[in-house]
């Protein structure tokens, strides 16, 4: 296998390698730092000492196979990175000797309009996917996240929620096939990996099972014109009452209508702190259809035609991401750094099944006003999300969920004290939400990764079940069984990777 990693790689690559330094970047090579930092979103992990021995930037599937084979031989863990958006940095840091397989050069998107599907390499971003769909068709879209710089590799394998989910489900619900390098270094597709593994990588986090090279996606029908709006309300303008009403109606809206409240505290010039709610929305149709629909389903919001902007679906991606300023070109979707406001951040998540009363909302506002708690984003469920069974994919948060909450705290100044203050703020808000969210277990969304839910320390199944049931409920047991079958030596592992049931330490 070669006495060092590089020679192992050269020998095991099925493709002849002329210049190894273009593909295997060792720590002393000038290409190493720019690649390492290129897609790190969370600056909390930018200065970590937990750096990889090598970064591999595969140009061919065979390079991924060689990376897996040689990591095994050299006792190195593998971290796979597509877009680098993992909230806890699991795609690029580890406290054990490891390599990163960074799929930055593996991002071709091939759209087949006639058959309504697309093959997308895992290193492509959502922005690249959305742009390329729009480039060939005004009548197709894909239901996935709202941030264009996310990588399809991590995002789809963890679920993938966005503005189209009430009509079409998650990104993971719209995967038709996948190509993966498994724990034996073999390239498999849906047929050869089998339905259990294919099930697991659509919401269970592919990092526990292999390296996804490509997804085959089902494109969904989109009208040529959609409508977007953002209505902003403060406490004094009835935000609390509107949010209370929102919880009773949002999951029952027409599937064409998606409204997500973004709740935060505004610091006014006179020193007062006011809760503000931005109701941000996408409607799959024109304004003349939206206004009567809103009058019927959520008249309290008082939506007027002048609040609304008609645009194409691909433009709505930019509207949701950056407000789609006049004159902006959709070409920015191809920019992997577009609107990336790199900072330090922490996220957590919850699912809500019972509306929170106005009184309780007022109590929550006090907690938000007292500390640095950040923003809450409430993503409405219902529609298609409620029609898919809990066990259809590993993502179990389906019928009965009114909305998902993402807690998100961002800050710009470095330093441990500052970090502690901000973490304390988000933790207090999360704590105060306990009575109002799902229980036994208190559930969470894998893509909003939160290591506070638990980590693998001794590597046992029972330890992994603690955090695993929060993300996956009963599906955790099936994920563990699949893990035992496809990766019995537990080669693909991280702080929150699936552990097989027979592993008890
Ligand atoms: P990254 O490369 O960091 O990978 C994340 C995880 O997947 C890691 O465990 C990694 O090892 C693994 N992985 C990556 N590529 C893989 C591959 N090819 N094969 C196997 N494993 C692989 N979510 C959402 O649902 N809707 C949204 O709108 C948003 N919005 C959003 C905005 C911002 C600013 C951030 C930072 C995050 C989000 N997210 C989100 C969360 C996002 O979906 C989540 O972080 C994804 O895992 C990111 O996927 P990346 O490939 O970018 O991350």
């Amino acid at each position: 296998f070669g006495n060092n990693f590089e020679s192992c790689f050269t020998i095991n690559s099925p493709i002849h390698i002329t210049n190894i330094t273009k593909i295997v970047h060792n720590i002393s090579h000038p290409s190493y730092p720019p690649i390492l930092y290129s897609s790190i979103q969370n600056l909390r992990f930018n200065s970590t000492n937990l750096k990889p021995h090598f970064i591999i930037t595969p140009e061919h599937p065979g390079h991924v196979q060689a990376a897996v084979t040689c990591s095994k031989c050299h006792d190195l863990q593998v971290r796979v990175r597509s877009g680098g958006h993992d909230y806890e940095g699991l795609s690029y840091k580890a406290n054990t000797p490891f390599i990163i397989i960074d799929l930055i050069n593996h991002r071709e998107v091939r759209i087949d309009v006639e058959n309504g599907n697309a093959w997308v390499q895992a290193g492509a971003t959502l922005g690249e996917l959305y742009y390329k769909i729009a480039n060939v068709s005004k009548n197709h879209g894909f239901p996935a996240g709202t941030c264009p710089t996310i990588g399809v590799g991590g995002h789809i394998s963890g679920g993938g929620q966005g503005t189209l989910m009430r009509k079409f489900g998650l990104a993971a619900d719209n995967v038709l096939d996948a190509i993966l390098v498994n724990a034996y270094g073999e390239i498999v597709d849906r047929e050869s990996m089998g339905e259990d593994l294919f099930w697991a990588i659509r919401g269970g986090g592919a990092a526990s099972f292999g390296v996804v090279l490509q997804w085959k996606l089902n494109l969904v029908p989109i009208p040529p014109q959609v409508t977007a709006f953002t209505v902003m309300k403060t406490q004094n303008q009835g935000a609390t009452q509107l949010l209370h009403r929102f919880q009773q109606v949002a999951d029952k809206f027409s599937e064409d209508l998606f409204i997500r409240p973004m709740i935060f505290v505004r610091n006014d010039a006179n020193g007062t702190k006011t809760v503000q709610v931005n109701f941000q929305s996408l409607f799959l149709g024109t304004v003349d259809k939206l206004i009567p629909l809103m009058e019927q389903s959520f008249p309290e919001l008082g939506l007027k035609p002048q609040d609304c902007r008609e645009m194409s679906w691909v433009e709505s991606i930019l509207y949701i991401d950056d407000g789609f300023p006049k004159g902006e070109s959709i070409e920015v979707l191809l920019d992997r750094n577009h609107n990336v406001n790199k900072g330090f951040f922490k996220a957590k998540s919850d699912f809500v099944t019972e509306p929170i009363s106005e009184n309780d909302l007022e109590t929550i506002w006090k907690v938000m006003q007292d500390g640095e708690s950040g923003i809450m984003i409430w993503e409405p469920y219902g529609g298609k999300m409620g029609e898919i069974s809990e066990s259809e994919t590993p993502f179990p948060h389906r019928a009965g969920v009114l909305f998902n909450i993402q807690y998100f705290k961002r800050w710009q100044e470095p330093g441990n004290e500052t970090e502690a203050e901000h973490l304390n703020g988000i933790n207090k808000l999360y704590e105060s939400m306990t009575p109002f969210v799902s229980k036994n277990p208190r559930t969470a969304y894998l893509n909003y990764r939160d290591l506070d839910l638990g980590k693998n320390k001794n590597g046992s199944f029972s330890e992994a079940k603690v955090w695993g049931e929060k993300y996956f409920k009963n599906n955790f047991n099936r994920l563990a069984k699949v893990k035992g079958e496809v990766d019995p030596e537990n080669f693909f592992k991280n702080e929150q990777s699936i552990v097989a049931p027979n592993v008890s330490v």
Side-chain angles (χ1 to χ4, degrees), residues 80-87 91 103 122 145-147 150-151 153-155 160-161 206-207 210 212 445 447-449:
V80 188
R81 182 163 73 174
S82 290
H85 281 55
D86 193 280
Y87 280 130
S91 55
L103 294 163
T146 57
C147 170
I150 295 173
H155 181 68
Q161 63 180 17
V212 175
Y445 171 33
N447 266 347
Y448 299 157
R449 170 126 35 219

PDB file of all heavy atoms in Angstrom, residues 80-87 91 103 122 145-147 150-151 153-155 160-161 206-207 210 212 445 447-449, ligand 1:
ATOM      1  N   VAL A  80     -15.777  14.068   5.449  1.00  0.00           N
ATOM      2  CA  VAL A  80     -16.154  14.447   4.087  1.00  0.00           C
ATOM      3  C   VAL A  80     -16.763  15.840   4.135  1.00  0.00           C
ATOM      4  O   VAL A  80     -17.589  16.135   4.994  1.00  0.00           O
ATOM      5  CB  VAL A  80     -17.204  13.475   3.511  1.00  0.00           C
ATOM      6  CG1 VAL A  80     -17.435  13.778   2.034  1.00  0.00           C
ATOM      7  CG2 VAL A  80     -16.772  12.054   3.706  1.00  0.00           C
ATOM      8  N   ARG A  81     -16.331  16.680   3.203  1.00  0.00           N
ATOM      9  CA  ARG A  81     -16.877  18.041   3.181  1.00  0.00           C
ATOM     10  C   ARG A  81     -17.406  18.365   1.788  1.00  0.00           C
ATOM     11  O   ARG A  81     -16.721  18.167   0.794  1.00  0.00           O
ATOM     12  CB  ARG A  81     -15.791  19.042   3.579  1.00  0.00           C
ATOM     13  CG  ARG A  81     -16.316  20.467   3.623  1.00  0.00           C
ATOM     14  CD  ARG A  81     -15.396  21.384   4.386  1.00  0.00           C
ATOM     15  NE  ARG A  81     -14.187  21.691   3.657  1.00  0.00           N
ATOM     16  CZ  ARG A  81     -13.269  22.583   4.076  1.00  0.00           C
ATOM     17  NH1 ARG A  81     -13.425  23.216   5.229  1.00  0.00           N
ATOM     18  NH2 ARG A  81     -12.200  22.813   3.354  1.00  0.00           N
ATOM     19  N   SER A  82     -18.634  18.881   1.768  1.00  0.00           N
ATOM     20  CA  SER A  82     -19.194  19.345   0.486  1.00  0.00           C
ATOM     21  C   SER A  82     -19.271  20.858   0.505  1.00  0.00           C
ATOM     22  O   SER A  82     -18.513  21.538  -0.161  1.00  0.00           O
ATOM     23  CB  SER A  82     -20.567  18.716   0.228  1.00  0.00           C
ATOM     24  OG  SER A  82     -20.405  17.342  -0.052  1.00  0.00           O
ATOM     25  N   GLY A  83     -20.198  21.421   1.317  1.00  0.00           N
ATOM     26  CA  GLY A  83     -20.317  22.879   1.380  1.00  0.00           C
ATOM     27  C   GLY A  83     -19.718  23.480   2.642  1.00  0.00           C
ATOM     28  O   GLY A  83     -19.628  24.704   2.756  1.00  0.00           O
ATOM     29  N   GLY A  84     -19.353  22.665   3.614  1.00  0.00           N
ATOM     30  CA  GLY A  84     -18.704  23.154   4.840  1.00  0.00           C
ATOM     31  C   GLY A  84     -19.634  23.902   5.785  1.00  0.00           C
ATOM     32  O   GLY A  84     -19.170  24.620   6.664  1.00  0.00           O
ATOM     33  N   HIS A  85     -20.970  23.725   5.649  1.00  0.00           N
ATOM     34  CA  HIS A  85     -21.907  24.489   6.482  1.00  0.00           C
ATOM     35  C   HIS A  85     -22.261  23.810   7.799  1.00  0.00           C
ATOM     36  O   HIS A  85     -23.111  24.311   8.536  1.00  0.00           O
ATOM     37  CB  HIS A  85     -23.193  24.786   5.700  1.00  0.00           C
ATOM     38  CG  HIS A  85     -23.053  25.925   4.736  1.00  0.00           C
ATOM     39  ND1 HIS A  85     -22.084  25.960   3.764  1.00  0.00           N
ATOM     40  CD2 HIS A  85     -23.749  27.078   4.592  1.00  0.00           C
ATOM     41  CE1 HIS A  85     -22.200  27.082   3.071  1.00  0.00           C
ATOM     42  NE2 HIS A  85     -23.200  27.782   3.555  1.00  0.00           N
ATOM     43  N   ASP A  86     -21.665  22.669   8.085  1.00  0.00           N
ATOM     44  CA  ASP A  86     -22.014  21.968   9.325  1.00  0.00           C
ATOM     45  C   ASP A  86     -21.893  22.920  10.516  1.00  0.00           C
ATOM     46  O   ASP A  86     -20.849  23.563  10.695  1.00  0.00           O
ATOM     47  CB  ASP A  86     -21.074  20.775   9.526  1.00  0.00           C
ATOM     48  CG  ASP A  86     -21.575  19.845  10.608  1.00  0.00           C
ATOM     49  OD1 ASP A  86     -21.360  20.152  11.801  1.00  0.00           O
ATOM     50  OD2 ASP A  86     -22.187  18.828  10.262  1.00  0.00           O
ATOM     51  N   TYR A  87     -22.970  23.012  11.309  1.00  0.00           N
ATOM     52  CA  TYR A  87     -22.984  23.983  12.414  1.00  0.00           C
ATOM     53  C   TYR A  87     -21.904  23.707  13.460  1.00  0.00           C
ATOM     54  O   TYR A  87     -21.485  24.607  14.164  1.00  0.00           O
ATOM     55  CB  TYR A  87     -24.354  23.997  13.092  1.00  0.00           C
ATOM     56  CG  TYR A  87     -25.401  24.798  12.355  1.00  0.00           C
ATOM     57  CD1 TYR A  87     -26.650  24.256  12.070  1.00  0.00           C
ATOM     58  CD2 TYR A  87     -25.148  26.102  11.956  1.00  0.00           C
ATOM     59  CE1 TYR A  87     -27.614  24.997  11.396  1.00  0.00           C
ATOM     60  CE2 TYR A  87     -26.108  26.849  11.281  1.00  0.00           C
ATOM     61  CZ  TYR A  87     -27.336  26.293  11.005  1.00  0.00           C
ATOM     62  OH  TYR A  87     -28.279  27.033  10.341  1.00  0.00           O
ATOM     63  N   SER A  91     -17.379  18.450   9.469  1.00  0.00           N
ATOM     64  CA  SER A  91     -16.832  18.063   8.166  1.00  0.00           C
ATOM     65  C   SER A  91     -15.365  18.451   8.005  1.00  0.00           C
ATOM     66  O   SER A  91     -14.743  18.108   7.010  1.00  0.00           O
ATOM     67  CB  SER A  91     -17.652  18.692   7.033  1.00  0.00           C
ATOM     68  OG  SER A  91     -17.717  20.093   7.191  1.00  0.00           O
ATOM     69  N   LEU A 103     -14.988  17.901  -1.566  1.00  0.00           N
ATOM     70  CA  LEU A 103     -15.516  17.640  -2.906  1.00  0.00           C
ATOM     71  C   LEU A 103     -15.653  18.898  -3.770  1.00  0.00           C
ATOM     72  O   LEU A 103     -16.440  18.933  -4.711  1.00  0.00           O
ATOM     73  CB  LEU A 103     -16.857  16.904  -2.774  1.00  0.00           C
ATOM     74  CG  LEU A 103     -16.664  15.501  -2.174  1.00  0.00           C
ATOM     75  CD1 LEU A 103     -17.976  14.935  -1.663  1.00  0.00           C
ATOM     76  CD2 LEU A 103     -16.050  14.540  -3.189  1.00  0.00           C
ATOM     77  N   ALA A 122     -21.850  15.758  -5.510  1.00  0.00           N
ATOM     78  CA  ALA A 122     -22.077  16.157  -4.110  1.00  0.00           C
ATOM     79  C   ALA A 122     -21.436  17.482  -3.725  1.00  0.00           C
ATOM     80  O   ALA A 122     -21.894  18.160  -2.805  1.00  0.00           O
ATOM     81  CB  ALA A 122     -21.583  15.057  -3.175  1.00  0.00           C
ATOM     82  N   GLY A 145     -32.948  23.790   0.739  1.00  0.00           N
ATOM     83  CA  GLY A 145     -32.748  24.899   1.668  1.00  0.00           C
ATOM     84  C   GLY A 145     -32.723  26.281   1.032  1.00  0.00           C
ATOM     85  O   GLY A 145     -32.665  26.424  -0.194  1.00  0.00           O
ATOM     86  N   THR A 146     -32.749  27.290   1.899  1.00  0.00           N
ATOM     87  CA  THR A 146     -32.857  28.676   1.441  1.00  0.00           C
ATOM     88  C   THR A 146     -31.500  29.362   1.288  1.00  0.00           C
ATOM     89  O   THR A 146     -31.436  30.476   0.789  1.00  0.00           O
ATOM     90  CB  THR A 146     -33.693  29.499   2.438  1.00  0.00           C
ATOM     91  OG1 THR A 146     -33.085  29.395   3.716  1.00  0.00           O
ATOM     92  CG2 THR A 146     -35.116  29.003   2.516  1.00  0.00           C
ATOM     93  N   CYS A 147     -30.433  28.714   1.733  1.00  0.00           N
ATOM     94  CA  CYS A 147     -29.115  29.352   1.665  1.00  0.00           C
ATOM     95  C   CYS A 147     -28.348  28.771   0.471  1.00  0.00           C
ATOM     96  O   CYS A 147     -27.989  27.590   0.485  1.00  0.00           O
ATOM     97  CB  CYS A 147     -28.377  29.090   2.976  1.00  0.00           C
ATOM     98  SG  CYS A 147     -26.668  29.557   2.913  1.00  0.00           S
ATOM     99  N   ILE A 150     -24.939  26.404   0.638  1.00  0.00           N
ATOM    100  CA  ILE A 150     -24.916  25.064   1.251  1.00  0.00           C
ATOM    101  C   ILE A 150     -24.515  24.023   0.197  1.00  0.00           C
ATOM    102  O   ILE A 150     -24.903  24.140  -0.969  1.00  0.00           O
ATOM    103  CB  ILE A 150     -26.333  24.703   1.771  1.00  0.00           C
ATOM    104  CG1 ILE A 150     -26.770  25.629   2.898  1.00  0.00           C
ATOM    105  CG2 ILE A 150     -26.419  23.260   2.214  1.00  0.00           C
ATOM    106  CD1 ILE A 150     -28.222  25.411   3.319  1.00  0.00           C
ATOM    107  N   GLY A 151     -23.792  22.994   0.605  1.00  0.00           N
ATOM    108  CA  GLY A 151     -23.427  21.914  -0.314  1.00  0.00           C
ATOM    109  C   GLY A 151     -24.525  20.862  -0.369  1.00  0.00           C
ATOM    110  O   GLY A 151     -25.143  20.545   0.646  1.00  0.00           O
ATOM    111  N   GLY A 153     -24.129  17.759  -0.772  1.00  0.00           N
ATOM    112  CA  GLY A 153     -23.680  16.513  -0.136  1.00  0.00           C
ATOM    113  C   GLY A 153     -24.205  16.372   1.280  1.00  0.00           C
ATOM    114  O   GLY A 153     -24.895  15.399   1.620  1.00  0.00           O
ATOM    115  N   GLY A 154     -23.917  17.357   2.125  1.00  0.00           N
ATOM    116  CA  GLY A 154     -24.363  17.291   3.515  1.00  0.00           C
ATOM    117  C   GLY A 154     -25.846  17.575   3.647  1.00  0.00           C
ATOM    118  O   GLY A 154     -26.561  16.885   4.369  1.00  0.00           O
ATOM    119  N   HIS A 155     -26.306  18.579   2.920  1.00  0.00           N
ATOM    120  CA  HIS A 155     -27.682  19.066   3.073  1.00  0.00           C
ATOM    121  C   HIS A 155     -28.717  17.987   2.771  1.00  0.00           C
ATOM    122  O   HIS A 155     -29.608  17.722   3.583  1.00  0.00           O
ATOM    123  CB  HIS A 155     -27.865  20.257   2.128  1.00  0.00           C
ATOM    124  CG  HIS A 155     -29.218  20.891   2.172  1.00  0.00           C
ATOM    125  ND1 HIS A 155     -29.675  21.586   3.266  1.00  0.00           N
ATOM    126  CD2 HIS A 155     -30.221  20.943   1.246  1.00  0.00           C
ATOM    127  CE1 HIS A 155     -30.904  22.046   3.011  1.00  0.00           C
ATOM    128  NE2 HIS A 155     -31.243  21.668   1.793  1.00  0.00           N
ATOM    129  N   GLY A 160     -32.997  18.511   4.483  1.00  0.00           N
ATOM    130  CA  GLY A 160     -33.057  19.622   3.527  1.00  0.00           C
ATOM    131  C   GLY A 160     -34.430  20.256   3.468  1.00  0.00           C
ATOM    132  O   GLY A 160     -35.269  19.854   2.658  1.00  0.00           O
ATOM    133  N   GLN A 161     -34.675  21.247   4.343  1.00  0.00           N
ATOM    134  CA  GLN A 161     -35.987  21.897   4.321  1.00  0.00           C
ATOM    135  C   GLN A 161     -35.890  23.307   3.751  1.00  0.00           C
ATOM    136  O   GLN A 161     -34.877  23.975   3.890  1.00  0.00           O
ATOM    137  CB  GLN A 161     -36.624  21.918   5.718  1.00  0.00           C
ATOM    138  CG  GLN A 161     -35.875  22.704   6.776  1.00  0.00           C
ATOM    139  CD  GLN A 161     -36.594  22.675   8.135  1.00  0.00           C
ATOM    140  OE1 GLN A 161     -37.453  21.836   8.378  1.00  0.00           O
ATOM    141  NE2 GLN A 161     -36.233  23.591   9.016  1.00  0.00           N
ATOM    142  N   ALA A 206     -25.261  11.059   5.663  1.00  0.00           N
ATOM    143  CA  ALA A 206     -24.460  10.078   4.917  1.00  0.00           C
ATOM    144  C   ALA A 206     -23.080   9.876   5.523  1.00  0.00           C
ATOM    145  O   ALA A 206     -22.436   8.851   5.283  1.00  0.00           O
ATOM    146  CB  ALA A 206     -24.344  10.508   3.457  1.00  0.00           C
ATOM    147  N   ALA A 207     -22.609  10.840   6.350  1.00  0.00           N
ATOM    148  CA  ALA A 207     -21.245  10.746   6.897  1.00  0.00           C
ATOM    149  C   ALA A 207     -21.036   9.470   7.710  1.00  0.00           C
ATOM    150  O   ALA A 207     -19.907   9.031   7.892  1.00  0.00           O
ATOM    151  CB  ALA A 207     -20.946  11.979   7.749  1.00  0.00           C
ATOM    152  N   GLY A 210     -20.704   6.524   4.295  1.00  0.00           N
ATOM    153  CA  GLY A 210     -19.845   6.523   3.115  1.00  0.00           C
ATOM    154  C   GLY A 210     -19.661   7.928   2.586  1.00  0.00           C
ATOM    155  O   GLY A 210     -19.912   8.913   3.278  1.00  0.00           O
ATOM    156  N   VAL A 212     -20.952  10.249  -0.403  1.00  0.00           N
ATOM    157  CA  VAL A 212     -21.874  10.417  -1.534  1.00  0.00           C
ATOM    158  C   VAL A 212     -21.128  11.142  -2.643  1.00  0.00           C
ATOM    159  O   VAL A 212     -20.518  12.191  -2.410  1.00  0.00           O
ATOM    160  CB  VAL A 212     -23.122  11.244  -1.145  1.00  0.00           C
ATOM    161  CG1 VAL A 212     -23.994  11.515  -2.364  1.00  0.00           C
ATOM    162  CG2 VAL A 212     -23.925  10.542  -0.061  1.00  0.00           C
ATOM    163  N   TYR A 445     -33.482  18.646  14.642  1.00  0.00           N
ATOM    164  CA  TYR A 445     -33.277  18.414  13.200  1.00  0.00           C
ATOM    165  C   TYR A 445     -31.779  18.249  12.932  1.00  0.00           C
ATOM    166  O   TYR A 445     -30.986  19.136  13.239  1.00  0.00           O
ATOM    167  CB  TYR A 445     -33.882  19.603  12.442  1.00  0.00           C
ATOM    168  CG  TYR A 445     -33.587  19.665  10.957  1.00  0.00           C
ATOM    169  CD1 TYR A 445     -33.454  18.517  10.193  1.00  0.00           C
ATOM    170  CD2 TYR A 445     -33.469  20.901  10.311  1.00  0.00           C
ATOM    171  CE1 TYR A 445     -33.205  18.603   8.832  1.00  0.00           C
ATOM    172  CE2 TYR A 445     -33.218  20.988   8.948  1.00  0.00           C
ATOM    173  CZ  TYR A 445     -33.083  19.825   8.219  1.00  0.00           C
ATOM    174  OH  TYR A 445     -32.828  19.895   6.872  1.00  0.00           O
ATOM    175  N   ASN A 447     -29.807  18.520  10.421  1.00  0.00           N
ATOM    176  CA  ASN A 447     -29.059  19.538   9.680  1.00  0.00           C
ATOM    177  C   ASN A 447     -28.774  20.779  10.519  1.00  0.00           C
ATOM    178  O   ASN A 447     -27.915  21.577  10.146  1.00  0.00           O
ATOM    179  CB  ASN A 447     -29.804  19.937   8.399  1.00  0.00           C
ATOM    180  CG  ASN A 447     -29.330  19.128   7.202  1.00  0.00           C
ATOM    181  OD1 ASN A 447     -28.310  18.454   7.264  1.00  0.00           O
ATOM    182  ND2 ASN A 447     -30.074  19.196   6.116  1.00  0.00           N
ATOM    183  N   TYR A 448     -29.520  20.962  11.635  1.00  0.00           N
ATOM    184  CA  TYR A 448     -29.178  22.044  12.547  1.00  0.00           C
ATOM    185  C   TYR A 448     -28.358  21.403  13.682  1.00  0.00           C
ATOM    186  O   TYR A 448     -28.740  21.429  14.854  1.00  0.00           O
ATOM    187  CB  TYR A 448     -30.440  22.751  13.069  1.00  0.00           C
ATOM    188  CG  TYR A 448     -31.271  23.393  11.981  1.00  0.00           C
ATOM    189  CD1 TYR A 448     -32.625  23.666  12.151  1.00  0.00           C
ATOM    190  CD2 TYR A 448     -30.691  23.738  10.753  1.00  0.00           C
ATOM    191  CE1 TYR A 448     -33.381  24.257  11.144  1.00  0.00           C
ATOM    192  CE2 TYR A 448     -31.443  24.330   9.741  1.00  0.00           C
ATOM    193  CZ  TYR A 448     -32.787  24.575   9.939  1.00  0.00           C
ATOM    194  OH  TYR A 448     -33.536  25.153   8.935  1.00  0.00           O
ATOM    195  N   ARG A 449     -27.264  20.830  13.306  1.00  0.00           N
ATOM    196  CA  ARG A 449     -26.464  19.975  14.209  1.00  0.00           C
ATOM    197  C   ARG A 449     -26.154  20.685  15.520  1.00  0.00           C
ATOM    198  O   ARG A 449     -25.707  21.837  15.535  1.00  0.00           O
ATOM    199  CB  ARG A 449     -25.161  19.608  13.527  1.00  0.00           C
ATOM    200  CG  ARG A 449     -24.222  18.935  14.493  1.00  0.00           C
ATOM    201  CD  ARG A 449     -23.680  17.644  14.123  1.00  0.00           C
ATOM    202  NE  ARG A 449     -23.400  17.452  12.741  1.00  0.00           N
ATOM    203  CZ  ARG A 449     -23.634  16.293  12.119  1.00  0.00           C
ATOM    204  NH1 ARG A 449     -24.180  15.300  12.759  1.00  0.00           N
ATOM    205  NH2 ARG A 449     -23.313  16.156  10.850  1.00  0.00           N
TER     206      ARG A 449
HETATM  207  P1  LIG B   1     -20.641  20.052   5.265  1.00  0.00           P
HETATM  208  O1  LIG B   1     -19.746  19.871   4.105  1.00  0.00           O
HETATM  209  O2  LIG B   1     -20.115  20.761   6.451  1.00  0.00           O
HETATM  210  O3  LIG B   1     -21.238  18.649   5.668  1.00  0.00           O
HETATM  211  C1  LIG B   1     -22.208  18.498   6.680  1.00  0.00           C
HETATM  212  C2  LIG B   1     -22.212  17.022   7.133  1.00  0.00           C
HETATM  213  O4  LIG B   1     -22.461  16.168   6.028  1.00  0.00           O
HETATM  214  C3  LIG B   1     -20.866  16.571   7.716  1.00  0.00           C
HETATM  215  O5  LIG B   1     -21.107  15.539   8.655  1.00  0.00           O
HETATM  216  C4  LIG B   1     -20.169  15.992   6.504  1.00  0.00           C
HETATM  217  O6  LIG B   1     -19.137  15.087   6.800  1.00  0.00           O
HETATM  218  C5  LIG B   1     -21.314  15.324   5.780  1.00  0.00           C
HETATM  219  N1  LIG B   1     -21.099  15.294   4.340  1.00  0.00           N
HETATM  220  C6  LIG B   1     -20.888  16.365   3.529  1.00  0.00           C
HETATM  221  N2  LIG B   1     -20.761  15.955   2.267  1.00  0.00           N
HETATM  222  C7  LIG B   1     -20.882  14.607   2.266  1.00  0.00           C
HETATM  223  C8  LIG B   1     -20.824  13.619   1.256  1.00  0.00           C
HETATM  224  N3  LIG B   1     -20.621  13.952  -0.007  1.00  0.00           N
HETATM  225  N4  LIG B   1     -20.956  12.319   1.619  1.00  0.00           N
HETATM  226  C9  LIG B   1     -21.144  11.979   2.912  1.00  0.00           C
HETATM  227  N5  LIG B   1     -21.226  12.870   3.909  1.00  0.00           N
HETATM  228  C10 LIG B   1     -21.088  14.173   3.587  1.00  0.00           C
HETATM  229  N6  LIG B   1     -30.612  23.530   6.409  1.00  0.00           N
HETATM  230  C11 LIG B   1     -31.863  23.400   5.885  1.00  0.00           C
HETATM  231  O7  LIG B   1     -32.421  22.318   5.892  1.00  0.00           O
HETATM  232  N7  LIG B   1     -32.465  24.472   5.312  1.00  0.00           N
HETATM  233  C12 LIG B   1     -31.879  25.700   5.247  1.00  0.00           C
HETATM  234  O8  LIG B   1     -32.460  26.627   4.707  1.00  0.00           O
HETATM  235  C13 LIG B   1     -30.572  25.847   5.831  1.00  0.00           C
HETATM  236  N8  LIG B   1     -29.932  27.055   5.829  1.00  0.00           N
HETATM  237  C14 LIG B   1     -28.648  27.170   6.359  1.00  0.00           C
HETATM  238  C15 LIG B   1     -27.986  28.394   6.325  1.00  0.00           C
HETATM  239  C16 LIG B   1     -26.688  28.511   6.851  1.00  0.00           C
HETATM  240  C17 LIG B   1     -25.997  29.847   6.804  1.00  0.00           C
HETATM  241  C18 LIG B   1     -26.055  27.376   7.418  1.00  0.00           C
HETATM  242  C19 LIG B   1     -24.674  27.480   7.993  1.00  0.00           C
HETATM  243  C20 LIG B   1     -26.718  26.157   7.434  1.00  0.00           C
HETATM  244  C21 LIG B   1     -28.014  26.032   6.919  1.00  0.00           C
HETATM  245  N9  LIG B   1     -28.689  24.809   6.925  1.00  0.00           N
HETATM  246  C22 LIG B   1     -29.959  24.714   6.391  1.00  0.00           C
HETATM  247  C23 LIG B   1     -28.052  23.624   7.484  1.00  0.00           C
HETATM  248  C24 LIG B   1     -27.403  22.779   6.393  1.00  0.00           C
HETATM  249  O9  LIG B   1     -28.409  22.088   5.678  1.00  0.00           O
HETATM  250  C25 LIG B   1     -26.457  21.744   7.022  1.00  0.00           C
HETATM  251  O10 LIG B   1     -25.442  22.407   7.717  1.00  0.00           O
HETATM  252  C26 LIG B   1     -25.879  20.799   5.956  1.00  0.00           C
HETATM  253  O11 LIG B   1     -25.394  19.646   6.574  1.00  0.00           O
HETATM  254  C27 LIG B   1     -24.779  21.488   5.180  1.00  0.00           C
HETATM  255  O12 LIG B   1     -24.276  20.689   4.158  1.00  0.00           O
HETATM  256  P2  LIG B   1     -22.831  21.024   3.566  1.00  0.00           P
HETATM  257  O13 LIG B   1     -22.499  20.015   2.552  1.00  0.00           O
HETATM  258  O14 LIG B   1     -22.781  22.465   3.213  1.00  0.00           O
HETATM  259  O15 LIG B   1     -21.951  20.887   4.879  1.00  0.00           O
END
